[in-house]
Amino acid sequence: MSKNDLHIEIQGDDKEIAVVRLSRPTKRNALNDGLILALRDTFDRMPSTVRAAVIHGEGEHFCAGLDLSELKERDAGEGLHHSRMWHTALERVQYGPVPVVAALHGAVVGGGLELASTCHIRVADASAFYALPEGSRGIFVGGGGSVRIPRLIGASRMADMMFTGRVYDATEGERVGFAQYLVPQGQAFAKALELAKRIAQNAPLTNYALMHALPRIAEQPADQGYMTEALIAAIAQSAPEAKTRVRAFLDGKAAKVKKQS
Ligand code: 1HE
């Protein structure tokens, strides 16, 4: 399937993995309105067999952010709606049907960083770099970045990036919390796919809880968080699949936790 420079390919024996590719390499995968709406529709209409997704960018860069050629004079109302359109689309990624692993390389900047921040896991290769050029372009983030990016790296680091144009390289980016995994150049997609396949094997209710309950619990006052956690834990463990999985371990038929070699 291909629409507006966004491609989706369904993979796996059970069609359980969706590979979503930003495919505007000549424009460094800059996100025009068509691409943002296609992203929204893709996650809205994900086939029901899919259990995990990978998102990546074609060419030398993950994503150059907002398509600046579409940045036109908007009155305040139009600007508000444009930003809200991004919010809707990126919320479909974050709170959509399946966990999403982002494979990052090259530029992960502006709206590209906002998109990466919506994903549940970020794998960066050694070529990745992170920046928020909005500061020097005289604009502000508008794709949820001011909510999500401080939760990854802290508000003071984000403010520094926008005040000073600071660029984080791949190693620094992993250290401050942009990416959970750092791999050699050219290996981000393979690692992201491996992780997505692993995630797809989890009980769907566990993945649902991690996507939809965990971030909300993390925002609740502790007392409410404990109660929400208890409710989710009770629901998850009551699923027949949870009982089967625990029984398999007790019968010696499930993998043990192993130290990384
Ligand atoms: C673009 C864009 C874009 C490239 N919109 N056309 N984002 C930025 O401010 C980042 C702007 N881009 C760059 O700094 C660089 O392009 C990159 C570091 C990403 C890549 O550099 P490079 O040398 O590989 O490519 P290039 O030669 O700069 O760009 C190739 C083409 O892509 C060129 O067009 P051409 O017709 O001359 O070939 C560029 O104009 C085009 N291009 N990036 C439009 N972003 C919800 S609010 C979010 C707000 C933001 O995201 S603001 C940050 C925008």
Side-chain angles (χ1 to χ4, degrees):
M1 183 172 91
S2 163
K3 40 180 184 174
N4 298 321
D5 306 318
L6 192 73
H7 292 251
I8 175 167
E9 187 187 317
I10 307 299
Q11 297 188 1
D13 292 343
D14 299 318
K15 302 188 183 344
E16 72 279 21
I17 304 291
V19 174
V20 178
R21 186 169 77 247
L22 306 175
S23 198
R24 274 190 97 198
T26 57
K27 296 293 178 188
R28 307 316 186 238
N29 299 320
L31 298 166
N32 55 21
D33 287 358
L35 203 33
I36 287 294
L37 293 173
L39 205 54
R40 179 197 66 188
D41 293 346
T42 295
F43 280 85
D44 259 354
R45 298 180 199 149
M46 193 60 79
S48 59
T49 55
V50 171
R51 306 275 290 266
V54 171
I55 187 161
H56 70 133
E58 189 175 331
E60 298 301 307
H61 302 281
F62 173 69
C63 178
L66 175 74
D67 186 328
L68 292 169
S69 71
E70 285 191 354
L71 189 66
K72 46 183 188 274
E73 284 283 314
R74 294 187 178 93
D75 67 25
E78 288 166 342
L80 173 73
H81 288 303
H82 185 256
S83 172
R84 296 299 287 158
M85 176 184 81
W86 272 66
H87 292 165
T88 303
L90 298 196
E91 282 225 3
R92 297 289 205 284
V93 180
Q94 182 175 8
Y95 293 118
V98 292
V100 185
V101 185
L104 305 177
H105 74 296
V108 185
V109 305
L113 180 51
E114 293 183 287
L115 170 59
S117 305
T118 64
C119 298
H120 304 92
I121 296 182
R122 282 161 296 280
V123 179
D125 87 5
S127 72
F129 58 96
Y130 309 87
L132 290 168
E134 287 89 337
S136 49
R137 309 259 182 258
I139 54 178
F140 192 62
V141 287
S146 59
V147 173
R148 295 191 183 96
I149 295 171
R151 291 188 166 116
L152 295 180
I153 63 167
S156 58
R157 281 200 184 93
M158 178 175 172
D160 174 34
M161 290 173 81
M162 293 189 71
F163 276 135
T164 67
R166 180 170 180 168
V167 179
Y168 281 87
D169 69 20
T171 308
E172 292 169 328
E174 192 246 4
R175 179 176 55 77
V176 298
F178 279 127
Q180 293 102 318
Y181 295 83
L182 177 60
V183 296
Q185 187 162 349
Q187 294 183 21
F189 180 74
K191 181 67 182 177
L193 197 57
E194 176 196 319
L195 294 171
K197 287 180 180 162
R198 172 69 185 76
I199 292 166
Q201 292 167 21
N202 290 341
L205 206 50
T206 302
N207 284 345
Y208 181 86
L210 290 171
M211 287 178 68
H212 293 267
L214 176 61
R216 293 181 167 107
I217 293 171
E219 296 300 321
Q220 288 181 332
D223 185 50
Q224 292 171 23
Y226 294 135
M227 178 53 82
T228 312
E229 178 186 274
L231 294 171
I232 298 294
I235 293 168
Q237 62 88 43
S238 70
E241 187 161 350
K243 296 191 196 321
T244 313
R245 285 170 180 248
V246 172
R247 173 54 51 205
F249 173 75
L250 294 174
D251 292 345
K253 292 177 186 152
K256 289 186 194 183
V257 177
K258 286 200 200 87
K259 218 167 114 178
Q260 289 279 46
S261 51

